[in-house]
Amino acid sequence: MPRPAILAAALSLAVAQLSAAATQAANVILFVGDGMDDQQVTIARDYLKGARGELLLDSMPVRGAVQILTVEDSTAGKPVYVADSANTATSLATGQVTSRGRIATSAGDDRDLVTIVELAQGAGLRTGIVTTASVTDATPASFAAHISYRLCENPGSMVDITVSGVELGGCEQDLKASGGPGSISEQLATSGLDVLLGGGAKHFEPPVEGGEQSVARLAQVEGFSVVRSRENLLAAQPGERLLGLFSASTMPVRLQGEGGRSAEAPEPSLLNRVHPYLGSVTLPEPMRCEPNPDAAGLPSLKEMTDVALQQLSHDNDRGFFLMVESASIDKQSHERKPCGSIGELEQLEEAVASAMAFAESHPDTLILVTADHSQAAQLVPQRSMFEQYTIPVYTTGKMARIITPEGSLMGVNYATNDFGYEEHTGANVPLYANTAAAGRVKPFQRQPELFGIMREYLGL
Amino acid sequence: MPRPAILAAALSLAVAQLSAAATQAANVILFVGDGMDDQQVTIARDYLKGARGELLLDSMPVRGAVQILTVEDSTAGKPVYVADSANTATSLATGQVTSRGRIATSAGDDRDLVTIVELAQGAGLRTGIVTTASVTDATPASFAAHISYRLCENPGSMVDITVSGVELGGCEQDLKASGGPGSISEQLATSGLDVLLGGGAKHFEPPVEGGEQSVARLAQVEGFSVVRSRENLLAAQPGERLLGLFSASTMPVRLQGEGGRSAEAPEPSLLNRVHPYLGSVTLPEPMRCEPNPDAAGLPSLKEMTDVALQQLSHDNDRGFFLMVESASIDKQSHERKPCGSIGELEQLEEAVASAMAFAESHPDTLILVTADHSQAAQLVPQRSMFEQYTIPVYTTGKMARIITPEGSLMGVNYATNDFGYEEHTGANVPLYANTAAAGRVKPFQRQPELFGIMREYLGL
């Protein structure tokens, strides 16, 4: 090769290496507001900022909508129009559509699906997961574990899982004894994650399958510093790999209804029970939201996110992937607790603010904020639109009438079923992003496409 | 003035005139999908295109979200978190927030609010309104009439309006005898609109207040050609001002449930009525959607839109404003008829396709597609997510299980009340737009801001 050609080739190689380095230094922060659909967002906006106000999410420069996909549990499964957090997190983490309840495994034939955390680790990037749920819950688990059923969260919950006396299934084929990877907590303990923060301490207490040490001990052996208090979290040293377990299971939420109240059933008068055109109805008493004392002393989602960003970015020229979940927008909606959902959406906002500030000083940071699926709560008239009619009109479900800080009453209805937990719903969900997403995020995409956007941004 | 300065001034004037001319030639087409929230859009997408499919709306290049605003009926009214089609259309038409039930009049002090149709007419632009509702219904009325209460649709419905034996109010102060503008149909007949197409013929039959001729006759005297059939509509001559009245009230919708079925209440067994943990439940039988025979022979929303575009653009160098409403997405949802809503969203899609094609050949055309407020329908699991539990789990409202063309079952739940009509809900709604909206539409805006965007685009 003549000398100029060699020089040109060397230059070309150097340029390629430079752009590779640039790609490697990119960061992705994915926020998942569990169940955070447009009803939840509006309920939170009206309460936290007022009807004319604006959330941080609203002010983000890029917005799109995301169609949720799931299928029946067979290899050519038919579409199912309402999803759960397991299959949706799998879509985000792996780009694949799977059936409800599955954690990064395929519908029907139960193959392991490679996650963005694994791809990132393979390329030398740091990885982190932060959640207000148990770290073993469906959303976080789908990014760093593979198992056929979401409830197989620890070595003691792998076969014959029974809830309220009902046998719900198990993960026999995922037992180590069956040649599988073991339970979710065991997989997380050996996951290679740099940061894993949330609730779920109880899933790290049982002994590992076929052994005597606890899963928490296994995590320590694998190099995690296990922290269990806000103080220890905030005192974390740069470079430490952190497993934070701040509550036994889901972390207590920030806000609750006055005196712990949930949505309640309207109370029809005796006469109205005789005939729907007669009598009257007493709607639930208006209530305020108040701080939940159980959350005192726990780290906020923002604090956990701040520590994660510090650990992941410290002395790191290769970039990172971080997933942050505000889990209880959904969980509180299942339990018909609108104040709980509002507070957790506020927590998400604060954590997103931290990420946006981080991206100011680290411009190669893609921030995506989305929901995994929509939820049951509906913002409804606090008194029926038809109250001029002389017959009592009221929801057959449960409703709350919340006194907002601007002094109006906001009705929230939960009426998808008569069970202890409301259903999910199937509407497409919002997507918010920072300017790094411009030209990458479309006005409309299917949920698995978000995986591709993140993967491409990280050059994986 | 020295000669070069004169020349410069003349040039500057010419440029100003040119840009004024350019502004005047701009067109705005505003589509309102009444009640078309993200639940309705997803239900329609899943049915019409499949879960992995894409609506025309999804493919539009600009997308945002819109916060709905309304207030109590006083001059400094407190926020109300759920709106109706009257106050929301007033927001779109006038940029002002008002109370529910009001047609382009202010909350509390009942001032007339100037509409974009009036501004456009004042600037020499043509104007049109197309709807599948009565042309006197709240959404169309708010663009070209001013009245204190939406039900004052004709001269015979101005005082003591009674529905199902209930006295709902009236518009005494709007009577001509009180110095007011008269009923909605009378105002529309003298509105100066170039095109007004939809249902509502019955509101043009009564004699005008204090006269003997019908409102329809008044419209003719005012220069409208009154057309009452699809054939006459399609035969309209360029340049004619058209009042099209194709049905007595709301135009019959395109699709209905098999045999006219609506959503239905699940039927618990006798034992389940005794105790919720016992017995079983029979969910509504799955059903298909089928054509509604009552819609046969009527013009489609697309056909009405096509004629409107032809009439408004023919030999017009000043531009136009056109509002097109698909009204029964909302009306069918009130009545718990998911197939009806799906068909009307399909009608909207076809009409938007016509507008997009029009904008191809008329690039100075801004197309906005939005909803006025959200609705009660929810896409829910067709069988409960909790059916593994051995107790019957079902909605306390009414549900449909629709067989989709791709062969799955889609659940739709209606459970905001026990009345004959479901409530509206308060979630922010989607906004779709063509490229002319780039840089004008934000990721998030309040509904009255859309008025400002349209006004600015038209240079009004």
Side-chain angles (χ1 to χ4, degrees):
Chain A
M1 201 186 287
R3 196 170 172 84
I6 292 171
L7 274 174
L11 193 63
S12 160
L13 184 65
V15 168
Q17 282 170 336
L18 269 173
S19 31
T23 304
Q24 285 165 2
N27 312 309
V28 165
I29 309 173
L30 170 66
F31 287 91
V32 178
D34 205 305
M36 185 184 67
D37 60 19
D38 284 276
Q39 294 278 354
Q40 295 283 358
V41 169
T42 310
I43 291 165
R45 178 188 304 117
D46 287 345
Y47 185 88
L48 297 169
K49 306 289 179 177
R52 293 173 189 248
E54 193 166 310
L55 295 166
L56 171 61
L57 297 181
D58 297 324
S59 74
M60 292 182 76
V62 177
R63 186 180 167 114
V66 181
Q67 168 81 347
I68 309 308
L69 296 175
T70 184
V71 289
E72 292 175 357
D73 193 34
S74 66
T75 48
K78 278 188 187 173
V80 170
Y81 301 115
V82 180
D84 84 336
S85 293
N87 78 266
T88 55
T90 298
S91 283
L92 292 166
T94 75
Q96 304 295 316
V97 177
T98 192
S99 56
R100 296 197 307 222
R102 285 196 168 277
I103 302 294
T105 51
S106 62
D109 60 1
D110 194 31
R111 283 174 296 110
D112 286 0
L113 303 171
V114 178
T115 74
I116 192 159
V117 162
E118 291 161 341
L119 289 172
Q121 288 173 347
L125 278 69
R126 290 196 197 145
T127 56
I129 292 174
V130 172
T131 179
T132 53
S134 294
V135 296
T136 52
D137 201 29
T139 306
S142 296
F143 284 82
H146 307 274
I147 206 156
S148 54
Y149 186 42
R150 57 185 288 178
L151 291 189
C152 300
E153 289 178 79
N154 68 62
S157 296
M158 288 292 283
V159 291
D160 302 336
I161 300 171
T162 302
V163 175
S164 305
V166 179
E167 164 78 49
L168 294 178
C171 304
E172 283 79 355
Q173 75 273 35
D174 297 304
L175 286 168
K176 291 180 188 168
S178 314
S183 68
I184 293 172
S185 65
E186 292 168 287
Q187 292 188 52
L188 293 175
T190 57
S191 64
L193 284 163
D194 296 283
V195 183
L196 177 60
L197 306 176
K202 70 177 182 185
H203 298 296
F204 290 80
E205 287 167 11
V208 296
E209 184 191 336
E212 287 179 9
Q213 63 179 351
S214 69
V215 183
R217 179 72 196 127
L218 171 63
Q220 285 174 319
V221 170
E222 290 284 325
F224 277 112
S225 298
V226 181
V227 293
R228 295 177 183 273
S229 72
R230 176 172 180 272
E231 291 62 38
N232 288 349
L233 174 71
L234 299 182
Q237 294 305 304
E240 272 188 299
R241 288 180 59 217
L242 290 179
L243 170 60
L245 300 168
F246 305 107
S247 60
S249 55
T250 304
M251 292 176 72
V253 297
R254 172 180 292 186
L255 288 183
Q256 65 177 14
E258 222 168 324
R261 285 173 62 198
S262 309
E264 295 147 352
E267 287 190 13
S269 68
L270 199 60
L271 207 53
N272 186 253
R273 288 173 207 260
V274 175
H275 193 284
Y277 284 12
L278 303 175
S280 60
V281 65
T282 306
L283 297 178
E285 270 299 300
M287 68 176 177
R288 296 178 195 282
C289 297
E290 63 181 25
N292 173 14
D294 293 347
L298 291 175
S300 68
L301 187 62
K302 171 192 157 45
E303 288 171 334
M304 293 194 288
T305 303
D306 286 342
V307 171
L309 289 172
Q310 166 199 301
Q311 300 300 103
L312 293 174
S313 65
H314 171 74
D315 197 17
N316 177 2
D317 58 4
R318 304 292 294 273
F320 64 79
F321 171 82
L322 171 63
M323 193 286 289
V324 179
E325 181 198 26
S326 181
S328 291
I329 301 168
D330 171 79
K331 291 178 193 298
Q332 294 284 293
S333 184
H334 275 301
E335 298 183 25
R336 307 174 176 118
K337 294 179 173 170
C339 293
S341 294
I342 290 167
E344 297 315 284
L345 207 143
E346 185 182 42
Q347 288 228 56
L348 183 80
E349 286 257 300
E350 294 169 0
V352 172
S354 276
M356 293 292 276
F358 177 86
E360 286 286 310
S361 52
H362 300 77
D364 292 331
T365 300
L366 173 69
I367 300 173
L368 301 180
V369 187
T370 191
D372 49 355
H373 57 75
S374 54
Q375 244 289 350
Q378 290 178 301
L379 205 178
V380 292
Q382 60 96 7
R383 300 187 66 84
S384 172
M385 295 178 68
F386 305 103
E387 67 169 341
Q388 279 183 292
Y389 290 82
T390 46
I391 65 175
V393 181
Y394 53 93
T395 178
T396 57
K398 295 188 169 64
M399 85 176 291
R401 296 197 299 155
I402 299 173
I403 303 164
T404 63
E406 62 189 344
S408 291
L409 286 181
M410 175 168 65
V412 183
N413 190 46
Y414 300 85
T416 58
N417 69 30
D418 62 341
F419 189 60
Y421 296 87
E422 293 283 328
E423 311 285 339
H424 294 166
T425 61
N428 52 228
V429 296
L431 171 65
Y432 313 90
N434 70 344
T435 48
R440 298 174 183 271
V441 159
K442 292 177 293 183
F444 174 79
Q445 47 261 301
R446 291 115 191 138
Q447 195 169 39
E449 294 175 42
L450 297 184
F451 166 82
I453 292 169
M454 298 188 293
R455 179 180 185 165
E456 186 180 294
Y457 192 83
L458 292 175
L460 301 175
Chain B
M1 202 187 284
R3 196 169 171 82
I6 291 171
L7 275 174
L11 192 63
S12 159
L13 184 65
V15 167
Q17 283 170 336
L18 268 174
S19 32
T23 303
Q24 284 164 3
N27 312 310
V28 165
I29 310 174
L30 169 66
F31 286 91
V32 178
D34 205 305
M36 186 184 66
D37 59 18
D38 284 276
Q39 294 278 354
Q40 295 283 358
V41 169
T42 310
I43 290 166
R45 179 188 303 118
D46 287 345
Y47 185 87
L48 298 170
K49 307 288 180 179
R52 292 172 190 247
E54 193 165 310
L55 295 167
L56 171 61
L57 297 181
D58 297 323
S59 74
M60 290 184 75
V62 177
R63 186 181 166 113
V66 181
Q67 168 81 347
I68 308 308
L69 296 174
T70 184
V71 290
E72 292 176 358
D73 193 35
S74 66
T75 48
K78 278 187 188 172
V80 170
Y81 301 115
V82 180
D84 85 337
S85 293
N87 79 267
T88 55
T90 298
S91 284
L92 292 166
T94 74
Q96 303 296 315
V97 178
T98 192
S99 56
R100 295 198 306 223
R102 285 194 167 278
I103 303 293
T105 52
S106 62
D109 60 2
D110 193 31
R111 284 174 296 109
D112 286 0
L113 303 171
V114 179
T115 75
I116 192 157
V117 161
E118 292 161 342
L119 289 172
Q121 289 173 347
L125 278 68
R126 290 198 195 141
T127 56
I129 292 175
V130 172
T131 179
T132 53
S134 294
V135 296
T136 52
D137 201 29
T139 306
S142 297
F143 284 81
H146 307 273
I147 206 156
S148 54
Y149 185 42
R150 57 184 288 177
L151 291 188
C152 300
E153 290 178 79
N154 67 62
S157 295
M158 287 293 284
V159 292
D160 301 337
I161 300 172
T162 302
V163 175
S164 306
V166 179
E167 162 79 49
L168 293 178
C171 304
E172 283 79 353
Q173 74 274 36
D174 297 305
L175 286 167
K176 291 179 188 169
S178 314
S183 68
I184 292 171
S185 65
E186 293 169 286
Q187 293 188 52
L188 293 176
T190 58
S191 64
L193 284 163
D194 296 283
V195 184
L196 177 60
L197 306 176
K202 71 176 183 186
H203 299 296
F204 290 79
E205 287 167 10
V208 297
E209 183 191 336
E212 287 179 9
Q213 62 178 354
S214 69
V215 183
R217 179 72 197 127
L218 171 64
Q220 285 175 319
V221 171
E222 290 284 329
F224 278 112
S225 299
V226 181
V227 294
R228 295 177 184 273
S229 72
R230 176 171 180 272
E231 292 64 36
N232 288 348
L233 174 71
L234 299 181
Q237 295 304 305
E240 273 188 299
R241 287 180 58 219
L242 290 179
L243 170 60
L245 300 168
F246 305 106
S247 60
S249 54
T250 304
M251 293 176 71
V253 297
R254 170 179 293 187
L255 287 183
Q256 66 178 13
E258 222 169 324
R261 286 173 62 198
S262 308
E264 295 147 353
E267 288 190 11
S269 67
L270 199 60
L271 207 54
N272 186 255
R273 289 174 206 259
V274 174
H275 193 285
Y277 284 12
L278 302 176
S280 60
V281 66
T282 305
L283 297 178
E285 270 299 299
M287 68 176 177
R288 297 179 195 280
C289 298
E290 62 181 24
N292 174 13
D294 293 347
L298 291 175
S300 68
L301 187 62
K302 171 193 157 45
E303 288 171 333
M304 294 195 289
T305 303
D306 285 342
V307 170
L309 289 171
Q310 167 200 301
Q311 300 299 105
L312 294 173
S313 63
H314 171 74
D315 196 18
N316 177 1
D317 58 5
R318 304 293 296 273
F320 64 80
F321 171 82
L322 171 63
M323 193 285 291
V324 178
E325 182 198 25
S326 181
S328 291
I329 302 168
D330 171 80
K331 292 179 193 296
Q332 294 283 295
S333 182
H334 275 300
E335 298 183 24
R336 307 172 177 121
K337 294 178 174 170
C339 293
S341 294
I342 290 167
E344 297 314 284
L345 208 143
E346 185 181 42
Q347 287 228 57
L348 184 80
E349 286 256 301
E350 294 169 0
V352 172
S354 276
M356 293 293 277
F358 178 86
E360 286 286 311
S361 53
H362 299 77
D364 290 332
T365 301
L366 174 68
I367 300 174
L368 301 180
V369 187
T370 191
D372 49 353
H373 56 75
S374 53
Q375 244 289 348
Q378 290 178 301
L379 206 179
V380 292
Q382 60 96 7
R383 301 187 65 85
S384 172
M385 295 178 69
F386 305 103
E387 66 169 341
Q388 280 182 292
Y389 290 82
T390 46
I391 64 176
V393 180
Y394 54 92
T395 178
T396 56
K398 294 189 170 62
M399 85 176 292
R401 297 198 298 155
I402 298 173
I403 303 164
T404 62
E406 62 188 344
S408 290
L409 286 180
M410 175 168 65
V412 183
N413 190 45
Y414 300 85
T416 59
N417 69 32
D418 61 341
F419 190 60
Y421 296 88
E422 293 284 329
E423 311 284 340
H424 294 164
T425 61
N428 52 228
V429 296
L431 171 66
Y432 314 90
N434 69 345
T435 48
R440 297 175 184 271
V441 158
K442 292 178 292 182
F444 174 80
Q445 46 261 300
R446 291 117 192 136
Q447 194 169 41
E449 294 174 44
L450 297 184
F451 166 82
I453 291 169
M454 298 188 293
R455 180 180 185 163
E456 187 181 294
Y457 192 83
L458 292 175
L460 300 174

